[in-house]
């Protein structure tokens, strides 16, 4: 059973860069897609982006100008950077394994996130 | 494009409830459903049509008709009280969408 763990600062100053890492254990990062999702306090889930183990990325258009996802296969981990943060970026950030027809080969399964990290709260405040 | 869910739904203990997710993209793509309890990470409960991860009770089932995806809980239990979110791919752009979420109360 693959396990994911988010790590990074819990407090980021406005206008600075939020940086989080997701460590994958119990399985290889290779041959899978991996994603980031966030949830502001008391609100719903928002998809941030996903990447393939090769480094290919896809981002939410609303965040695309500020987001960078990257992967380090040697460490079995992937990372999120979100720059120019404001209070609106305060949220619990989750990493997850993303299954897609491109990886499963089964269109009728659709898109899904089957393993999630526990989440980490990042507060943007001075 | 967006995915629309009812903000709140209630069901009597042991009865059947259907939680829906509407959006144009669902005519082309399948949805997955997530259960989230307070302070916890979301958990995948169904994906595509009638698929469940191991460990998810068979009272949870997912389906699709036209522009609507549904999560049906047959014989709701007290522990099913939670927020439920749908996820699918946007049909006009290369990205993913979550529905706004439905808070399920089991009475």
């Amino acid at each position: 059973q693959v396990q994911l763990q988010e790590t990074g600062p819990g407090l980021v100053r406005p206008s600075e860069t939020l940086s989080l890492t997701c460590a994958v254990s119990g399985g290889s990062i290779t041959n899978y897609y991996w994603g980031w999702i966030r949830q502001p306090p008391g609100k719903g889930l928002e998809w941030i982006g996903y990447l393939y183990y090769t480094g290919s990325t896809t981002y939410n258009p609303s965040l695309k100008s500020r987001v960078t996802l990257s992967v380090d296969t040697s460490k079995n981990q992937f990372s999120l950077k979100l720059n120019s943060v404001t209070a609106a970026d305060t949220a619990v950030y989750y990493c997850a394994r993303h299954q897609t027809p491109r990886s499963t080969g089964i269109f009728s399964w659709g898109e899904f996130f089957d393993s999630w990290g526990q989440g980490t709260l990042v507060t943007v405040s001075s | 494009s967006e995915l629309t869910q009812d903000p709140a739904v209630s069901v009597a203990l042991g009865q059947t409830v259907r939680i829906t997710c509407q959006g144009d993209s669902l005519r082309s793509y399948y949805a997955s459903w997530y259960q989230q309890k307070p302070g916890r990470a979301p958990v995948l409960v169904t994906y595509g049509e009638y698929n469940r991860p191991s460990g998810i009770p068979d009272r949870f089932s997912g389906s699709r008709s036209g522009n609507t995806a549904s999560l049906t809980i047959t014989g709701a239990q007290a522990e099913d009280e939670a927020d439920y979110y749908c996820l699918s791919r946007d049909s006009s752009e290369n990205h993913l969408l979550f529905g706004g979420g439905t808070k399920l109360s089991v009475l």
Side-chain angles (χ1 to χ4, degrees):
Chain A
Q1 175 79 352
V2 68
Q3 294 186 316
L4 297 90
Q5 177 68 59
E6 307 91 348
T7 56
L11 178 65
V12 181
R13 306 297 184 195
S15 80
E16 295 188 347
T17 297
L18 179 161
S19 296
L20 296 174
T21 295
C22 182
V24 179
S25 59
S28 175
I29 203 167
T30 305
N31 295 326
Y32 284 100
Y33 288 84
W34 304 89
W36 288 94
I37 300 100
R38 71 179 183 178
Q39 185 172 37
K43 297 188 178 181
L45 301 171
E46 180 182 29
W47 169 71
I48 297 172
Y50 61 75
L51 81 168
Y52 196 42
Y53 78 100
T54 57
S56 172
T57 55
T58 303
Y59 300 129
N60 186 324
S62 69
L63 297 170
K64 187 174 183 178
S65 63
R66 298 194 293 131
V67 173
T68 302
L69 302 187
S70 60
V71 61
D72 186 337
T73 54
S74 67
K75 294 182 178 179
N76 223 40
Q77 64 185 35
F78 59 103
S79 299
L80 161 71
K81 290 188 186 296
L82 179 66
N83 59 37
S84 304
V85 297
T86 69
D89 295 310
T90 294
V92 175
Y93 286 76
Y94 297 100
C95 60
R97 187 173 69 179
H98 175 212
Q99 303 277 18
T100 169
R102 281 172 288 181
S103 58
T104 65
I106 303 174
F107 183 79
S108 65
W109 284 7
E111 315 273 349
F112 56 98
F113 293 102
D114 61 348
S115 296
W116 294 64
Q118 64 184 24
T120 186
L121 174 63
V122 179
T123 301
V124 178
S125 176
S126 56
Chain B
S1 186
E2 61 180 20
L3 298 177
T4 302
Q5 298 182 237
D6 291 327
V9 171
S10 61
V11 62
L13 184 67
Q15 297 303 301
T16 296
V17 62
R18 188 172 70 172
I19 299 170
T20 60
C21 173
Q22 288 188 302
D24 287 341
S25 65
L26 295 173
R27 296 185 185 279
S28 304
Y29 297 101
Y30 292 88
S32 50
W33 288 92
Y34 303 83
Q35 176 192 71
Q36 187 180 34
K37 296 183 178 180
R40 305 297 298 274
V43 173
L44 176 70
V45 291
T46 71
Y47 57 98
E49 291 235 276
Y50 312 116
N51 300 294
R52 279 185 314 277
S54 60
I56 299 299
D58 61 5
R59 63 179 180 272
F60 291 91
S61 65
S63 61
R64 181 186 75 164
S65 178
N67 73 335
T68 301
S70 300
L71 172 68
T72 300
I73 307 174
T74 304
Q77 303 299 303
E79 61 265 31
D80 300 334
E81 187 162 286
D83 294 327
Y84 290 86
Y85 294 91
C86 60
L87 169 77
S88 188
R89 179 167 290 278
D90 187 283
S91 55
S92 61
E93 299 183 47
N94 186 29
H95 63 265
L96 304 182
L97 289 170
F98 279 102
T102 297
K103 184 176 184 61
L104 176 67
S105 297
V106 180
L107 308 175

